């Protein structure tokens, strides 16, 4: 008897990332020594997150086409730039107030500059593309091929440095973007390599989630509580307002801006990578991971609702508007849920 496991997981917002992460967290909380007990390949899942991420970013990079049309480059560049600049401004303010460490007590316990910056810096691409296909211009879907450059810890590291917090050696910054750049090189030099590597992107996502979950303790998830919801609301409302204004300022109708106001499931792995690159962020890493995971769920639920309401306001027939332009020529970015 076949079980609809994948279909069930995909009913959860960001499920391909979040469900395996929850499974891993349950295992780690119930049996924290299981990795050392089993060892071998099973134990490697507890410690192999960086290697899995490196493979993931090579495959993802191969999907990015540098020959994007001028419209796609403009739209994607505006949305990407707006997110990064807003995250930098927030990082500067929070960096002055909090520094690198998380808040130690009270209602905001666990909140850190790392958590907020990482949550703002990465967009749920699958959700963006599906919303644009439904409510926006079809050619706007291709803008995500530019926005995919958000993926990984590179921009978060740069943002933290700009905010005046502990910086990272240039070798670490280069190393953080090399796998993505190498994948882009392969995919653009050889279309066959793009077609070969692209299908691996969604398949790797659950393993990222499981490996990350095996480093988490569920007691921290419980402690995140309403603070994780508040972070998601901030990303959708404050981040969405900035993106909407940027989209409209460049001739858009704001729909693409609102559709990009999410946190990607991949962002949940950024704190652990940042902490491994600079131990000063280690105290904030676990709570930041939990808060970002909450933000993924909250933004995945609220963003479609807000985008749909805005589309009904600015378009009399949203479904018709979605067909007002031909699709982009070639952008082989896969639509996978965790992004």
């Amino acid at each position: 008897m076949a079980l609809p496991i994948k279909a069930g997981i995909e009913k959860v917002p960001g499920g391909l990332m979040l469900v395996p992460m929850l499974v891993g967290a349950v295992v780690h909380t119930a049996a924290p020594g299981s990795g050392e007990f089993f060892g071998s390949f099973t134990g490697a899942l507890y410690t192999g997150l960086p290697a899995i991420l490196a493979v993931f970013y090579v495959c993802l990079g191969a999907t990015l086409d540098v020959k994007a049309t001028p419209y796609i480059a403009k739209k994607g560049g505006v949305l990407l730039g707006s997110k990064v600049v807003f995250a930098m401004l927030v990082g500067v303010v929070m960096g002055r107030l909090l520094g690198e460490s998380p808040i130690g007590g009270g209602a905001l316990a666990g909140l850190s500059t790392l958590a907020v910056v990482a949550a703002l810096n990465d967009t749920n691409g699958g959700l963006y593309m599906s919303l644009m296909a439904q409510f926006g211009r079809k050619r706007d879907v291709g803008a995500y091929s530019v926005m995919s450059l958000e993926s990984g810890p590179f921009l978060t590291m740069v943002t933290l440095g700009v905010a005046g917090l502990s910086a990272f050696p240039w070798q670490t910054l280069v190393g953080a973007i090399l796998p993505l750049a190498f994948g882009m090189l392969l995919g653009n030099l050889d279309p066959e390599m793009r077609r070969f590597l692209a299908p691996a992107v969604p398949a790797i996502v659950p393993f990222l989630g499981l490996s990350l979950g095996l480093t988490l303790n569920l007691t921290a998830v419980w402690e995140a509580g309403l603070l994780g919801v508040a972070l998601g609301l901030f990303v959708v409302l404050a981040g969405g307002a900035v993106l909407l204004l940027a989209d409209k300022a460049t001739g858009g109708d704001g729909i693409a801006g609102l559709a990009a106001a999410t946190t990607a499931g991949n962002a949940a792995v950024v704190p652990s990578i940042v902490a491994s690159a600079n131990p000063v962020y280690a105290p904030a890493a676990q709570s930041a991971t939990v808060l970002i995971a909450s933000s993924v769920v909250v933004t995945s639920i609220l963003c479609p609702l807000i985008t749909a309401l805005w589309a009904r306001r600015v378009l009399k027939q949203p479904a018709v508007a979605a067909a007002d332009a031909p699709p982009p020529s070639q952008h082989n970015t896969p639509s996978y849920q965790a992004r």
Side-chain angles (χ1 to χ4, degrees):
M1 181 181 69
L3 295 176
I5 297 174
K6 183 173 180 289
I9 290 175
E10 289 179 334
K11 290 180 180 179
V12 179
L16 286 178
M17 178 77 177
L18 294 180
V19 172
M21 185 171 72
L22 179 60
V23 171
V26 169
V27 172
H28 179 67
T29 303
S34 54
E36 293 83 357
F37 179 81
F38 288 106
S40 189
F41 303 120
T42 300
L45 284 173
Y46 288 73
T47 58
L49 181 61
I52 299 174
L53 277 167
V55 175
F56 174 78
Y57 288 127
V58 170
C59 295
L60 177 64
T63 69
L64 306 182
D65 191 349
V66 297
K67 297 179 181 178
T69 64
Y71 177 85
I72 290 174
K74 175 185 175 182
K75 176 69 72 173
V78 167
L79 296 178
L80 173 64
S82 299
K83 289 204 75 164
V84 172
V85 170
F86 180 58
M88 285 183 175
L89 292 175
V90 172
V92 168
V93 174
M94 292 192 66
R96 294 285 187 272
L97 297 175
L98 302 180
E100 297 90 350
S101 301
I103 295 176
L108 300 179
L111 183 66
S112 63
T113 308
L114 174 60
V116 178
V117 168
L120 287 170
N121 257 341
D122 210 343
T123 300
N124 185 326
L127 185 58
Y128 169 82
M129 288 186 281
S130 64
L131 288 173
M132 294 313 299
Q134 182 178 1
F135 297 113
R137 302 177 178 90
K138 286 186 177 179
R139 59 181 177 173
D140 287 345
V141 175
Y144 185 67
S145 61
V146 177
M147 295 166 64
S148 291
L149 294 172
E150 298 170 311
S151 297
F154 177 75
L155 287 177
T156 296
M157 290 180 179
V158 171
T159 301
L160 293 172
V162 171
L165 302 178
S166 294
F168 300 84
W170 69 266
Q171 298 96 326
T172 300
L173 292 174
V174 173
I177 203 170
L178 267 181
L180 189 72
F182 180 63
M184 290 179 65
L185 181 64
L186 286 177
N188 283 276
L189 287 178
D190 184 2
E192 286 297 322
M193 287 299 296
R194 173 176 294 152
R195 284 189 283 271
F196 172 67
L197 294 172
V201 175
I204 295 175
V205 168
F207 296 98
L208 287 177
L210 178 62
S211 187
L212 177 62
L214 289 170
T215 68
L216 298 178
N217 191 306
L218 282 178
T219 57
V221 177
W222 176 259
E223 291 169 0
L226 293 177
L227 188 58
V229 175
L231 178 58
L233 288 172
F234 179 74
V235 172
V236 171
L237 299 179
V242 171
L243 290 166
L244 183 148
L245 292 175
D247 188 12
K248 290 180 69 67
T250 54
D253 51 24
I255 297 176
L258 289 177
T262 54
T263 300
N266 299 333
V269 303
V270 169
S272 63
I273 301 174
V274 170
S276 65
N278 191 337
V280 74
Y281 293 100
Q286 179 161 309
S287 61
T289 298
V290 173
L291 290 173
I292 292 169
S294 298
S295 181
V296 173
V297 177
V298 172
T299 59
S300 295
I301 294 172
L302 288 183
C303 180
L305 297 176
I306 294 173
T307 303
L309 289 173
W310 181 261
R312 292 191 184 101
R313 176 180 176 182
V314 299
L315 302 172
K316 292 182 179 180
Q317 295 178 309
V320 174
D324 68 350
S329 55
Q330 288 286 334
H331 64 89
N332 295 301
T333 306
S335 175
Y336 55 96
Q337 188 179 18
R339 288 231 31 96

